Amino acid sequence: MIEEGSKRGKAMVEKRQLFMEMRAQNFDVIRLSTYRTACKLRFVQKRCNLHLVDVWNMIEAFRDNGLNTLDHNAEINVSRLETILSSIYYQLNKRLPTTHQINVEQSIGLLLNFMVATYDSESHGKLTVFSMKSMLSTMCGGKIVDKLRYIFSQISDSSGVMMFAKFDQFLREVLKLPTAVFEGPSFGYTEHSVRTCFPQQKIMLNTFLDVLMADPPPQCLVWLPLMHRLANVENVFHPVECSYCRSESMMGFRYRCQQCHGYQLCQSCFWRGHANGPHSNQHQMKEHSSWKSPAKKLSHAISKSLGCVPIGEPPHPVFPEQAERPQELTHTVQPKPVANNMNDTMLMSSGTPTPTKSVLESPSRLDEEHRLIARYAARLAAEAGNSTQQCPPSDLSFNFDANKQQRQLIAELENKNREILQEIQRLRLEHEQASQPTPEKAQQNPTLLTELRLLRHRKDELERRMSALQESRRELMVQLEGLMRLLKSQSGGSPHSSPSHGAGCSMPMPIRSTSAGSTPTHTPQDCLAGVGGDVLEAFAQGVPRNLRNDLLVAADSITNTMSSLVKELHSVDDGGLEEETNMRNGGDRGTVRLQKH
């Protein structure tokens, strides 16, 4: 008794676990019921690992467990349902790599409790075969067109026409899924649901797919294609800033307002009804499930205008209306399930899917096929020989001319296609050059604005540094000019002195400026105003130069000036030396010290 009570308590905890985790995701803040329902069912699908099971693997699991031989209204108990789910998940782990193995026991427990809560609300402990097939084929992974083809095979007769009673039964079962995630008021079953979906009297496969995959689909099933679109855009990245939350990137859907220019919202803000500025929730929004750069948009528009891209692509391939007859498989050895190959080995027919190709074929059948192929090839060769013998020379020449014209036409079309591709490439390059960032475009891009601010700050810093260096250079040049004047006055008018050295001799020694760090508002020539002689000549250029060239010119000027000073000192006569000795006795020690150096 104690063990039975603990098992029941554990079952109740597991039954509530999935719903408690779903409530923790806070999906109820989504204001649109369609997105809210699709998000909840997508969460259940991923939490139970059903998104890893392809629809073809699910169909194979139905066949392996003998469900295709049971009537749709037949009931199976919970223990057999658990066995079926175990086979599905254990086969899944065999297909997955060792690093991506799932917890089979946990997945079985979550899915089993969800199915019982959904389809056995009265606790009978049994589910119908059709309920299980409808739920698992809807909630598993794979393409929606493949799921709908399988569902149509379950609700159509032997002639490939949909039975309205079966479709009504399918709606009853599949609409229990939104009810299980507390969305029954929005997507519950009504008696008029069938006629609102199909007002026609005769529904074939392609019509069935057209209606359920239309945009928009029937209101009662609008959440089904949305759940598949959610799965396709979960990892889609949009390098666009959200106009409400200011997030610099979006994941999933992207929504663009059709009235407010440049107003875009991420899926979280749009689902919650956020809006700011002139935008309103009443504005029409366009949903984008992918991101295309401006260059790709231009090339796609050009290709579309030139007819390279089909404009109206059908939402699904067109299938034959009549169901093909099942093959006789009495003496065929059944192969083991092969992962991800069901699309090639299964064919939709009335009732249950039947294999069209057997993986294992007998050697006698292969030999028979080889003989048929050889016989057909020989007959084609004989017909070709007879036709060449019967054709007169005029016909042969006519065929040759026709082939020649066709080859010329093909060559012309290839040349034209090559020219069109070159034109597309040229337009793409022009567009990329035109889309380079400019100051006007940078105002709309915060990243470019930040880079421009950093560049301006760096420019100001470099200008302040240049101003300080030029001020220091000016002071050095003025000091050098003063020393040159002192030497000239001591030499007493030496015949070797240069006449330009006397320019600006009355200029006093400058005091170091305290405003060297300010932003310069003058040219490099302005900072040498008042400097005479060779120093001014060295920097008196007609056009402004950068700091590096100015420093090089200053170094050359200092070198030339020091060379002239050395020559003048060597040319001083003995009288000049005695005069300098007298001046040294008079107290001008600094000058003699400079002379010795």
Side-chain angles (χ1 to χ4, degrees):
M1 295 294 293
I2 298 177
E3 293 181 357
E4 292 180 359
S6 62
K7 288 182 179 180
R8 291 179 181 177
K10 183 179 180 181
M12 291 297 295
V13 171
E14 291 179 350
K15 185 176 181 180
R16 297 177 181 177
Q17 179 182 355
L18 184 63
F19 295 99
M20 292 174 63
E21 292 179 0
M22 185 179 65
R23 288 182 182 275
Q25 298 296 320
N26 200 18
F27 290 122
D28 291 330
V29 299
I30 302 176
R31 65 187 183 96
L32 301 175
S33 60
T34 304
Y35 288 94
R36 189 169 60 245
T37 305
C39 287
K40 289 180 178 180
L41 292 177
R42 175 62 177 168
F43 172 79
V44 173
Q45 183 190 46
K46 294 181 67 176
R47 188 66 182 85
C48 298
N49 291 313
L50 277 175
H51 66 295
L52 302 175
V53 184
D54 191 81
V55 60
W56 301 107
N57 301 126
M58 190 66 72
I59 296 171
E60 184 68 15
F62 294 160
R63 294 181 64 251
D64 290 343
N65 288 275
L67 297 181
N68 57 329
T69 60
L70 298 178
D71 186 76
H72 284 172
N73 296 324
E75 294 183 343
I76 57 176
N77 54 25
V78 177
S79 61
R80 186 175 180 186
L81 175 60
E82 185 175 2
T83 303
I84 296 172
L85 298 182
S86 300
S87 66
I88 293 173
Y89 283 116
Y90 279 114
Q91 289 295 329
L92 172 63
N93 257 355
K94 292 181 180 179
R95 295 189 297 269
L96 293 176
T98 55
T99 56
H100 294 75
Q101 297 287 302
I102 65 170
N103 189 339
V104 175
E105 298 298 331
Q106 184 182 24
S107 301
I108 293 173
L110 291 175
L111 182 57
L112 181 64
N113 290 322
F114 179 75
M115 294 182 68
V116 171
T118 304
Y119 294 102
D120 189 24
S121 58
E122 299 180 358
S123 301
H124 293 307
K126 294 182 180 180
L127 278 74
T128 63
V129 173
F130 191 70
S131 299
M132 189 189 64
K133 284 185 175 181
S134 301
M135 186 271 174
L136 292 178
S137 62
T138 303
M139 293 294 292
C140 67
K143 298 180 180 180
I144 185 173
V145 63
D146 296 332
K147 295 182 180 181
L148 294 177
R149 286 178 63 196
Y150 173 72
I151 291 170
F152 185 82
S153 69
Q154 300 297 302
I155 61 176
S156 58
D157 56 15
S158 58
S159 60
V161 179
M162 187 188 76
M163 295 181 289
F164 281 90
K166 288 283 187 179
F167 181 69
D168 182 75
Q169 186 181 1
F170 167 73
L171 285 182
R172 289 176 184 271
E173 302 299 337
V174 78
L175 291 181
K176 290 179 181 179
L177 293 173
T179 305
V181 293
F182 314 107
E183 296 296 333
S186 301
F187 299 104
Y189 170 80
T190 61
E191 296 180 355
H192 305 287
S193 299
V194 178
R195 288 301 174 184
T196 55
C197 295
F198 298 104
Q200 305 94 332
Q201 294 296 327
K202 185 178 181 180
I203 305 299
M204 307 295 288
L205 173 60
N206 292 311
T207 307
F208 180 79
L209 296 177
D210 289 338
V211 172
L212 295 189
M213 296 183 66
D215 189 16
Q219 181 60 31
C220 59
L221 295 174
V222 68
W223 51 270
L224 181 58
L226 179 58
M227 185 177 69
H228 288 79
R229 296 206 309 272
L230 280 174
N232 294 331
V233 303
E234 283 181 348
N235 298 320
V236 175
F237 174 77
H238 305 269
V240 183
E241 181 184 19
C242 178
S243 300
Y244 184 84
C245 66
R246 300 301 176 185
S247 175
E248 295 184 358
S249 60
M250 301 182 189
M251 294 295 292
F253 286 119
R254 172 171 55 93
Y255 297 89
R256 176 188 290 273
C257 182
Q258 301 300 295
Q259 299 182 25
C260 304
H261 177 70
Y263 192 89
Q264 301 187 85
L265 292 176
C266 62
Q267 66 177 19
S268 178
C269 294
F270 175 74
W271 290 352
R272 286 158 177 77
H274 294 162
N276 58 347
H279 178 70
S280 171
N281 288 330
Q282 304 301 322
H283 292 179
Q284 184 179 2
M285 302 289 286
K286 185 176 181 180
E287 184 180 87
H288 295 272
S289 58
S290 62
W291 165 257
K292 291 183 180 179
S293 62
K296 287 185 178 180
K297 290 181 180 179
L298 178 63
S299 62
H300 183 76
I302 294 174
S303 301
K304 191 175 182 180
S305 62
L306 295 176
C308 300
V309 177
I311 299 177
E313 295 183 356
H316 63 84
V318 179
F319 301 99
E321 297 290 350
Q322 296 295 331
E324 297 188 16
R325 296 175 61 184
Q327 295 181 352
E328 179 62 34
L329 302 177
T330 306
H331 304 288
T332 303
V333 179
Q334 291 293 335
K336 295 182 179 180
V338 180
N340 298 326
N341 289 331
M342 294 300 299
N343 199 3
D344 297 331
T345 60
M346 301 292 294
L347 174 68
M348 293 302 169
S349 63
S350 60
T352 57
T354 58
T356 58
K357 298 179 183 178
S358 179
V359 180
L360 300 178
E361 298 194 16
S362 61
S364 60
R365 183 175 180 180
L366 291 176
D367 295 337
E368 180 65 19
E369 289 181 356
H370 292 165
R371 286 195 296 270
L372 289 175
I373 292 172
R375 189 184 307 168
Y376 184 70
R379 187 170 62 182
L380 287 178
E383 291 177 359
N386 295 332
S387 62
T388 54
Q389 293 176 2
Q390 295 175 2
C391 289
S394 59
D395 293 341
L396 293 176
S397 61
F398 177 78
N399 292 335
F400 178 78
D401 294 336
N403 293 335
K404 185 177 180 180
Q405 292 178 359
Q406 290 178 357
R407 286 195 297 269
Q408 292 177 355
L409 180 61
I410 291 173
E412 292 175 0
L413 292 176
E414 288 178 351
N415 293 332
K416 188 173 182 181
N417 185 34
R418 195 178 299 109
E419 293 175 359
I420 291 174
L421 291 177
Q422 292 176 357
E423 183 68 13
I424 291 173
Q425 184 67 19
R426 185 183 65 81
L427 292 175
R428 185 178 299 169
L429 292 175
E430 290 179 0
H431 177 74
E432 290 177 356
Q433 294 175 359
S435 62
Q436 293 296 326
T438 59
E440 292 78 5
K441 295 180 181 179
Q443 294 178 0
Q444 300 177 357
N445 195 329
T447 305
L448 293 179
L449 287 175
T450 305
E451 292 179 357
L452 287 176
R453 293 193 192 99
L454 293 175
L455 290 175
R456 291 194 186 100
H457 180 71
R458 180 62 177 167
K459 177 175 175 290
D460 296 338
E461 183 180 353
L462 291 175
E463 288 178 351
R464 288 194 297 270
R465 179 63 178 165
M466 183 178 67
S467 176
L469 292 174
Q470 289 181 353
E471 189 67 24
S472 301
R473 182 190 63 183
R474 179 181 178 279
E475 292 175 4
L476 290 174
M477 296 299 103
V478 172
Q479 291 177 8
L480 180 60
E481 188 72 20
L483 292 176
M484 291 171 62
R485 289 199 301 273
L486 285 176
L487 291 175
K488 289 177 184 178
S489 62
Q490 292 171 7
S491 62
S494 174
H496 300 283
S497 62
S498 175
S500 64
H501 292 169
C505 59
S506 61
M507 181 177 177
M509 294 293 288
I511 301 175
R512 182 170 181 83
S513 173
T514 59
S515 61
S518 60
T519 303
T521 58
H522 50 75
T523 60
Q525 290 80 359
D526 296 336
C527 66
L528 296 176
V531 179
D534 294 338
V535 180
L536 182 60
E537 184 179 359
F539 293 95
Q541 300 294 332
V543 295
R545 302 182 304 275
N546 56 20
L547 183 58
R548 179 180 179 184
N549 295 334
D550 290 344
L551 292 177
L552 291 174
V553 174
D556 294 338
S557 175
I558 293 173
T559 303
N560 295 334
T561 304
M562 294 303 296
S563 299
S564 62
L565 286 175
V566 172
K567 290 179 182 180
E568 289 179 359
L569 290 176
H570 282 293
S571 64
V572 175
D573 54 359
D574 295 337
L577 291 174
E578 292 175 359
E579 182 179 358
E580 289 175 1
T581 305
N582 294 332
M583 290 179 65
R584 180 180 57 191
N585 294 333
D588 196 355
R589 304 178 185 274
T591 306
V592 176
R593 205 177 294 119
L594 178 60
Q595 180 186 1
K596 289 181 179 181
H597 289 292

